Amino acid sequence: MTKRTDFVYSQASEPHRIRTKKILKEFPGLRTLIGKNPNTIWAIVGLVSFQLVLAWLLRDQSWWLVFGAAYLLGAFADHSLFVMIHECAHQLLFKNRSANRWAGILANMPQIFPSSISFERYHIKHHSFQGVHELDADLPNRWEAKMINNSFIGKALWLLFYPLFQVFRLSRLREIQTFDIWIVANIAVQVVFTAAIYYFWGWHALAYLLLSFSFSVGLHPLGARWIQEHYLTHSVEQETYSYYGALNTVSFNVGFHNEHHDFPSIPWNKLPEIRKTAPEYYDTLYYHKSWTKLFFRFLFDKEISLFNRILRKERGKVALTDISKPDAEMATN
């Protein structure tokens, strides 16, 4: 690879819908994996309970314990809660859309910042318009990439303040309308929850939850997930990568990212079956085996920067109202 000073521009359409069509034609049995997993709600309840119990236990402890617990335990729990919110965004728990949204709001509670509903709106567009800069919130701003550059310090600060940089991207996504009663409900629940944590358990408990959130998406090996998914880390222009490592066990298979983009209507517990059924489509792609290794490589490798992303101007024939279920649509044709 070479050090980039601009994004990589592609004339080709995003690869996932094409691959989905090919795989379903060759392996029609994968249609049976499409569906819901209502048992995911128990994972949400368990993770939320875990965070609440730890916050209560840490309410009178030293700041060292608060920081340590947040980095070593809370970050993993919050990262898994992000995966749960992701499942709710794709409506993969219940048939009822409102039930999925309430489940996502429940999963969002220990993370303090209201993001479940807005994530749904922006994330679905990421699937429908991957690489289209004005519609894909996963892509960094140009000024963001220039400011961070290729330096260790810049990339470390980017990971540390990753949620803030994501907020700055929203002004670019003017076509996506998000504010409605669901956003209000998400905010209201978070305000009540946060106020209750502070009132009953104090600053240490609240700080634990805030730090858990920060570490789960930022300056932590788990933060390598954001690099793993779509950043160009090899000499080929492959725009989506999977992660096949041990942390998939505690992260609900979120590393199976090519599989998820190809089949967004298949819940987390069945994603490994896609690769197992069609290995010739996935084992031939580059993939990562370690988030920790990628975390340090991103920080120190000057050939990897925020410019290592593929952009496209062509939206294709996908409507702005698309809900990103190409696999389910093809399965019924």
Side-chain angles (χ1 to χ4, degrees):
M1 291 197 308
T2 58
K3 183 177 178 180
R4 302 185 186 278
T5 56
D6 196 1
F7 297 111
V8 179
Y9 294 89
S10 174
Q11 300 298 318
S13 59
E14 62 89 13
H16 299 290
R17 290 172 187 258
I18 297 171
R19 189 160 60 228
T20 302
K21 187 174 182 179
K22 290 180 179 178
I23 294 174
L24 281 175
K25 184 177 181 179
E26 190 171 348
F27 301 99
L30 282 173
R31 291 176 169 86
T32 62
L33 301 180
I34 296 173
K36 313 293 183 183
N37 181 7
N39 288 325
T40 299
I41 190 63
W42 301 116
I44 293 175
V45 171
L47 288 164
V48 171
S49 300
F50 178 82
Q51 285 296 78
L52 288 176
V53 168
L54 274 180
W56 176 77
L57 290 173
L58 291 163
R59 69 195 187 282
D60 296 319
Q61 301 300 319
S62 70
W63 284 110
W64 288 110
L65 276 175
V66 171
F67 272 83
Y71 199 86
L72 297 174
L73 296 172
F76 290 92
D78 262 20
H79 188 261
S80 293
L81 283 169
F82 269 113
V83 183
M84 298 295 95
I85 290 172
H86 175 263
E87 292 290 296
C88 294
H90 282 281
Q91 311 294 316
L92 293 176
L93 277 70
F94 310 113
K95 292 182 179 180
N96 182 278
R97 181 176 294 271
S98 294
N100 283 287
R101 285 178 174 165
W102 282 116
I105 290 173
L106 172 62
N108 191 189
M109 284 168 53
Q111 298 175 337
I112 303 303
F113 297 99
S115 60
S116 178
I117 301 300
S118 57
F119 173 81
E120 176 192 331
R121 310 293 167 75
Y122 290 108
H123 181 70
I124 297 303
K125 294 297 181 286
H126 162 64
H127 274 263
S128 300
F129 302 99
Q130 181 175 308
V132 180
H133 208 232
E134 65 269 24
L135 289 170
D136 187 351
D138 193 63
L139 292 165
N141 287 314
R142 183 176 298 277
W143 65 261
E144 182 182 339
K146 285 184 177 180
M147 182 176 71
I148 298 307
N149 206 341
N150 300 73
S151 70
F152 168 85
I153 293 176
K155 288 187 277 190
L157 288 173
W158 181 76
L159 284 173
L160 183 63
F161 296 106
Y162 183 71
L164 186 61
F165 282 107
Q166 285 190 308
V167 170
F168 287 141
R169 297 173 188 175
L170 301 187
S171 61
R172 186 184 80 224
L173 311 169
R174 298 173 183 174
E175 294 180 60
I176 305 175
Q177 300 298 320
T178 63
F179 190 81
D180 61 11
I181 191 64
W182 282 105
I183 294 288
V184 174
N186 197 175
I187 294 171
V189 168
Q190 293 304 116
V191 169
V192 171
F193 175 83
T194 303
I197 292 293
Y198 172 70
Y199 181 82
F200 291 107
W201 296 343
W203 276 116
H204 284 224
L206 184 57
Y208 165 74
L209 295 176
L210 287 168
L211 288 167
S212 295
F213 167 80
S214 178
F215 291 142
S216 71
V217 296
L219 198 57
H220 189 287
L222 290 170
R225 173 189 159 193
W226 316 119
I227 309 305
Q228 163 246 307
E229 291 181 342
H230 294 291
Y231 280 83
L232 303 175
T233 53
H234 293 72
S235 56
V236 297
E237 292 184 5
Q238 177 184 312
E239 58 187 291
T240 305
Y241 292 77
S242 288
Y243 157 75
Y244 303 132
L247 289 179
N248 273 321
T249 305
V250 295
S251 297
F252 297 89
N253 294 325
V254 73
F256 288 79
H257 204 59
N258 264 305
E259 293 83 346
H260 167 64
H261 266 271
D262 291 347
F263 294 91
S265 302
I266 293 179
W268 66 270
N269 58 307
K270 296 181 180 179
L271 290 177
E273 287 297 313
I274 302 171
R275 183 191 181 200
K276 184 178 179 181
T277 302
E280 58 267 45
Y281 284 93
Y282 298 104
D283 290 349
T284 53
L285 297 173
Y286 287 101
Y287 55 84
H288 297 282
K289 294 182 179 180
S290 170
W291 276 336
T292 302
K293 181 179 179 180
L294 181 59
F295 173 72
F296 287 108
R297 183 186 170 199
F298 171 70
L299 289 175
F300 290 101
D301 190 339
K302 291 187 178 297
E303 291 186 350
I304 300 179
S305 73
L306 302 192
F307 281 123
N308 287 47
R309 291 295 299 264
I310 289 180
L311 270 64
R312 57 178 49 84
K313 295 182 179 180
E314 179 57 50
R315 298 186 182 188
K317 299 179 180 180
V318 181
L320 187 62
T321 55
D322 182 67
I323 58 175
S324 187
K325 292 183 180 291
D327 52 337
E329 293 166 1
M330 292 178 193
T332 56
N333 290 337

